[in-house]
Amino acid sequence: MIQNTISDQVRNLSVGTLRRETPLPLLITGVAGVPGYNALPYFTEKYPGQVVGVRQVNNWRMLGDNIVACDVEDIDGLKRLFDQYQFRAVLNCGGSCALKSCELDPSMAWRINFESVRNLLHVLEGSDTRLVQLSIDLVYSDKLGGGYYEHEPTDPVTIYGKTMAASENLIQLERPESAILRISLPMGISFNGHAGAIDWIQSRFIKDKPATLYYDEIRTPTYTDCLNRVIDDMLGRDSAGIFHAGGPRRLSLYQIAQIINRVGDYNPNHLMGCLREEAGPVPPRAGDVTMDSTKLADELGYEPFDPWPLHDCWMPTHHDWHHERPADELRGPQQILDLLYRNPRHAV
């Protein structure tokens, strides 16, 4: 413990940029997605009256006192929004992450994931507004042993990954002072109840339907609780460039489903597994896209993410681990909420 404390102190002395106050007011785009949907209440509570969330015009069910309907690809509407609120910081969570939809409609994917970023940069031109952009680990395809570093070239296999990589390049070219956080699977609730990794998998089990997940697609998920704090910290710094923001625990999609199945006390026979090559051709699947987030930790001066799940006892140890149901183990939907949606370390 003493060694860890000293290490943390040394790291704090070598932080790349100093933390100041988060510039306000803050605009959060893409609040219907998991990162934005979880960021909005966090920042709204921390900075009351200073945060505005943007959702697509056709998403009429999403309402809130500080939620505004504006398509980010509508540059005139975006300009009016900035004229009205004079934002000093932007967290861009916008985009379409639906892999199959992007493959089947590439023009939609490029419009929402790339052209919207171009419009945002155009509106920000000439201002000192702080921009933090969320990107994704799927700008990579597969690396033997995983652990991608920021300097390694991108090689996405999906239209979604290609549009996100192009957006990263555009931001670095036109607004290099911005920070780009490559996230993995953000573990938190979703607006529509099936957009997030937990929500989709759990929705299958709740309906007593099978869920098939891959043994060889490996990610570094994070609690949205941790991600919100990292974003807030980065908004208040001058940190620039690309930073990997993946958690410390490497998990296959099959292992993630094992955890959800057992913690939620769902029928273990509904979980199926397969290799990527055994799945259909659309959408193509990435493999081991785990990321090394040392650069981000060094920039912030602390370890940014707790493992997901937090407790080691919920880490699968073998293929049929989710079939094991000790009598004294607490399981059920409430445990999903307390252990997987929320970081137990941050529970009030």
Side-chain angles (χ1 to χ4, degrees):
M1 180 63 72
I2 293 176
Q3 289 181 335
N4 288 340
T5 302
I6 293 174
S7 176
D8 290 343
Q9 290 174 346
V10 171
R11 177 171 276 174
N12 274 314
L13 292 175
S14 61
V15 175
T17 58
L18 296 177
R19 172 76 166 97
R20 301 186 302 273
E21 291 185 0
T22 297
L24 300 170
L26 167 67
L27 172 66
I28 303 176
T29 68
V31 295
V34 174
Y37 188 63
N38 286 270
L40 184 61
Y42 171 84
F43 284 99
T44 298
E45 181 179 0
K46 188 167 185 179
Y47 307 113
Q50 296 291 315
V51 179
V52 174
V54 166
R55 52 94 169 166
Q56 292 289 103
V57 172
N58 63 3
N59 193 359
W60 54 268
R61 295 176 301 166
M62 191 170 201
L63 303 173
D65 293 339
N66 62 337
I67 296 178
V68 176
C70 177
D71 294 338
V72 182
E73 54 267 34
D74 173 13
I75 192 167
D76 292 331
L78 201 57
K79 286 179 179 178
R80 289 193 295 270
L81 194 66
F82 272 79
D83 288 342
Q84 179 179 354
Y85 291 99
Q86 298 295 305
F87 297 112
R88 295 188 57 237
V90 176
L91 168 60
N92 188 20
C93 307
S96 173
C97 62
L99 297 182
K100 188 172 183 179
S101 296
C102 289
E103 293 296 322
L104 297 178
D105 191 354
S107 61
M108 174 277 295
W110 283 100
R111 183 178 70 254
I112 294 179
N113 296 339
F114 180 77
E115 292 300 333
S116 63
V117 172
R118 186 192 297 276
N119 288 346
L120 182 60
L121 293 175
H122 180 74
V123 173
L124 293 176
E125 188 175 359
S127 74
D128 61 356
T129 301
R130 174 64 169 158
L131 172 62
V132 172
Q133 167 81 18
L134 297 191
S135 188
I136 191 70
D137 54 2
L138 295 179
V139 297
Y140 296 116
S141 64
D142 183 48
K143 178 184 178 183
L144 183 62
Y148 277 102
Y149 294 96
E150 288 85 349
H151 66 270
E152 296 183 84
T154 59
D155 60 342
V157 296
T158 63
I159 295 295
Y160 172 51
K162 292 173 183 177
T163 58
M164 298 302 286
S167 295
E168 290 181 359
N169 292 337
L170 183 64
I171 291 171
Q172 290 190 290
L173 178 65
E174 297 193 2
R175 204 172 183 85
E177 68 271 25
S178 304
I180 299 170
L181 296 177
R182 284 183 183 147
I183 65 175
S184 184
L185 290 175
M187 295 306 202
I189 59 175
S190 65
F191 168 68
N192 61 14
H194 59 79
I198 299 176
D199 282 348
W200 182 84
I201 295 170
Q202 185 178 215
S203 71
R204 302 291 295 178
F205 295 148
I206 288 175
K207 299 172 185 175
D208 284 326
K209 293 183 177 181
T212 302
L213 283 303
Y214 302 109
Y215 300 131
D216 55 347
E217 181 174 335
I218 307 172
R219 315 288 288 275
T220 40
T222 59
Y223 285 103
T224 53
D225 296 3
C226 296
L227 184 60
N228 289 336
R229 289 165 171 78
V230 168
I231 292 169
D232 191 23
D233 207 336
M234 292 296 280
L235 284 168
R237 296 174 186 263
D238 292 330
S239 306
I242 295 174
F243 296 87
H244 286 174
R249 203 188 291 283
R250 295 160 40 95
L251 289 161
S252 70
L253 296 188
Y254 180 78
Q255 288 175 311
I256 290 171
Q258 283 185 292
I259 294 167
I260 295 168
N261 183 275
R262 179 163 158 176
V263 172
D265 203 25
Y266 299 115
N267 186 339
N269 296 316
H270 286 326
L271 175 57
M272 312 295 176
C274 73
L275 297 172
R276 291 176 293 143
E277 65 181 12
E278 298 170 354
V282 178
R285 304 298 308 204
D288 189 336
V289 292
T290 55
M291 299 182 294
D292 186 295
S293 300
T294 301
K295 178 183 175 183
L296 177 63
D298 288 341
E299 186 73 10
L300 298 176
Y302 58 86
E303 294 298 333
F305 300 109
D306 286 328
W308 184 98
L310 178 66
H311 303 301
D312 292 341
C313 64
W314 293 114
M315 180 65 185
T317 54
H318 57 86
H319 182 272
D320 292 323
W321 171 87
H322 59 290
H323 286 264
E324 299 174 356
R325 305 293 167 101
D328 60 345
E329 187 176 83
L330 290 177
R331 298 182 298 273
Q334 185 61 42
Q335 295 303 303
I336 294 275
L337 184 64
D338 293 342
L339 301 178
L340 304 184
Y341 279 125
R342 295 192 299 237
N343 186 344
R345 195 188 301 278
H346 298 156
V348 178

